[in-house]
Amino acid sequence: MLELQDAFARKFHYLRLSVTDVCNFRCQYCLPDGYRPDGRKSFLTLDEIRHITRAFAAMGTNKVRITGGEPSMRRDFTDIIEAVASTPGIRKVATTTNGYRMAERVADWRSAGLDAINVSLDSLDPRMFHQITGQNRFHEVMAGIDAAFTAGFEQVKVNTVLMRGLNDGELGEFLAWIKSSPIQLRFIELMQTGEMDELFERHHVRGAAIKEKLLEAGWQQRVRAHNDGPAEVFWHADYVGEIGLIMPYAQDFCASCNRLRVSALGKLHLCLFGEYGVDLRDLLQSPGQQAALQRRLREALADKKATHFLHQGHSGMTPHLASIGG
Ligand SMILES: Nc1nc2c(ncn2[C@@H]2O[C@H](COP(=O)(O)OP(=O)(O)OP(=O)(O)O)[C@@H](O)[C@H]2O)c(=O)[nH]1
Ligand SMILES: C[S@@+](CC[C@H](N)C(=O)[O-])C[C@H]1O[C@@H](n2cnc3c(N)ncnc32)[C@H](O)[C@@H]1O
Ligand code: SF4
Ligand code: SF4
């Protein structure tokens, strides 16, 4: 099998597949004014999703993360999970969600083949949660996380975007929360995107400060496996949970890049902060197009850059991460 490999010898076995741009939250760093419907957009159909997944799987992809917007806003979300999970070669199906409908549906998602779930939770203080996400749904999301454990997930990853002056003083509360829960809590550095005004300057805080505190408190960094993603993971003998740090501004962050993205509009994105998307949709219309689709993917990959250009202030064409799935 000819794997997907770029000019820097990085291999890509992980696809982040966005299934919708729509979201019901208004996170300050993503869609502060909420999702603005655009009647002309049509998101990938179930058949198109099947064709994409098959082509990637035929080139060595074994993990697919279904994302968005908010993926659980899709009425056929469970069918999407099932379609991806039943594709030969796909060994891990994951999703990233804001927790919407999770408490009621997570058991169905698991039965459909979902292996891993990442939930966004920016604060353990319900009022701060509301302030950051624009939604008064803290307890709903927490109930969703509990329901995931009840449904049989052994670990849940929780994503917390670090924001100076908002949630950056909550380390103690978060640590107490994961002391006896199998949660991998990941602090994510705020990333600058095209539609952000001065929010980035106001709230960006380096994950390195948390790393120092963790090391001082006896946390140890897990040795990275070669196929691990970009999170640095820390463990402590007194804690069931773990801490992950996602620090895209750190040196060499992109050296371990192992993922490609397809947007809900069917475009291949070589980087979260790339300059363009490669349209795939014309080759998603029948199974007979798979060879041509694979050729297009391989040719496109030749142009993947070594890293993002965030340090120079360029966030590419990405207006906000809901447009590409994060
Ligand atoms: N800069 C950058 N950020 C990323 C990348 N992949 C994920 N992120 C960010 O990391 C955060 C967590 O992403 P998730 O969707 O939970 O996925 P993940 O970290 O790949 O999770 P695992 O597959 O469990 O390792 C989000 O804010 C993403 O936008 C990446 O390739 N580059
Ligand atoms: C774009 S969301 C899509 C999935 C789902 N709606 C959710 O929020 O989990 C994926 C992840 O990106 C993160 N994210 C969005 N905008 C970000 C930004 N500007 N900087 C860092 N992380 C961001 C979110 O917190 C979330 O964990
Ligand atoms: S981060 Fe996720 S939940 Fe928040 S606005 Fe963006 S897409 Fe929606
Ligand atoms: S910023 Fe781009 S190159 Fe860097 S890890 Fe993310 S997707 Fe890969």
Side-chain angles (χ1 to χ4, degrees):
M1 178 204 302
L2 259 179
E3 288 177 308
L4 285 165
Q5 182 169 330
D6 71 2
F8 307 95
R10 292 176 299 194
K11 290 188 175 151
F12 299 88
H13 296 155
Y14 173 10
L15 169 65
R16 296 179 64 97
L17 179 62
S18 179
V19 295
T20 182
D21 289 356
V22 179
C23 188
N24 54 341
F25 277 34
R26 297 193 302 273
C27 300
Q28 287 189 28
Y29 47 75
C30 184
L31 294 175
D33 303 319
Y35 174 73
R36 278 166 292 201
D38 173 349
R40 289 164 302 169
K41 280 186 179 173
S42 76
F43 301 123
L44 292 169
T45 64
L46 201 52
D47 273 339
E48 289 174 320
I49 289 170
R50 283 197 183 97
H51 297 149
I52 292 172
T53 312
R54 255 184 232 144
F56 272 88
M59 299 167 95
T61 295
N62 51 45
K63 169 174 169 180
V64 177
R65 176 171 300 282
I66 306 168
T67 177
E70 176 45 42
S72 64
M73 298 282 288
R74 283 271 305 233
R75 286 212 193 94
D76 56 354
F77 183 47
T78 307
D79 299 330
I80 293 173
I81 294 170
E82 207 276 326
V84 174
S86 61
T87 304
I90 300 302
R91 294 204 296 269
K92 187 162 181 180
V93 184
T95 195
T96 304
T97 173
N98 63 22
Y100 177 60
R101 290 187 179 152
M102 191 174 158
E104 305 81 57
R105 307 258 169 102
V106 68
D108 290 345
W109 302 343
R110 188 171 167 86
S111 305
L114 190 70
D115 300 294
I117 191 152
N118 296 12
V119 186
S120 296
L121 182 84
D122 287 331
S123 176
L124 286 174
D125 170 358
R127 277 170 309 175
M128 182 55 70
F129 178 92
H130 189 175
Q131 185 178 335
I132 297 177
T133 64
Q135 286 283 354
N136 190 11
R137 293 180 189 241
F138 171 80
H139 296 288
E140 208 176 291
V141 179
M142 291 298 262
I145 294 171
D146 288 344
F149 288 124
T150 308
F153 287 91
E154 283 174 11
Q155 189 193 49
V156 173
K157 290 185 181 173
V158 169
N159 288 339
T160 303
V161 177
L162 267 177
M163 295 185 82
R164 184 196 306 283
L166 293 177
N167 61 6
D168 63 332
E170 289 189 40
L171 180 61
E173 285 82 356
F174 276 117
L175 290 181
W177 185 44
I178 64 163
K179 187 141 193 187
S180 54
S181 276
I183 286 172
Q184 186 186 101
L185 181 83
R186 291 110 54 83
F187 290 111
I188 302 163
E189 272 186 28
L190 182 62
M191 295 178 241
Q192 187 158 24
T193 56
E195 282 183 2
M196 244 177 228
D197 46 20
E198 80 291 19
L199 182 118
F200 181 79
E201 301 305 330
R202 229 181 316 136
H203 292 300
H204 178 248
V205 40
R206 297 246 170 208
I210 293 204
K211 182 170 173 175
E212 266 171 38
K213 284 187 191 156
L214 291 175
L215 294 174
E216 270 169 24
W219 288 76
Q220 299 192 50
Q221 187 164 354
R222 203 177 277 295
V223 178
R224 271 196 193 174
H226 79 282
N227 57 348
D228 276 355
E232 292 185 18
V233 179
F234 298 81
W235 64 276
H236 193 296
D238 298 342
Y239 290 75
V240 176
E242 301 173 320
I243 296 282
L245 293 177
I246 299 178
M247 302 184 286
Y249 293 88
Q251 207 182 356
D252 289 338
F253 176 79
C254 299
S256 59
C257 186
N258 62 355
R259 59 216 40 210
L260 294 170
R261 295 171 167 80
V262 172
S263 74
L265 298 175
K267 291 193 174 181
L268 171 74
H269 291 263
L270 299 172
C271 174
L272 185 50
F273 300 103
E275 295 292 345
Y276 62 92
V278 178
D279 202 359
L280 304 177
R281 219 138 184 199
D282 58 310
L283 296 180
L284 301 179
Q285 303 315 310
S286 79
Q289 295 174 297
Q290 186 172 325
L293 178 56
Q294 288 181 220
R295 219 165 25 246
R296 190 174 293 170
L297 293 173
R298 195 178 307 288
E299 283 166 10
L301 192 56
D303 200 31
K304 183 168 165 65
K305 307 287 183 276
T307 180
H308 59 68
F309 296 93
L310 289 174
H311 294 103
Q312 292 93 319
H314 300 307
S315 50
M317 66 173 291
T318 309
H320 44 70
L321 298 196
S323 68
I324 189 176

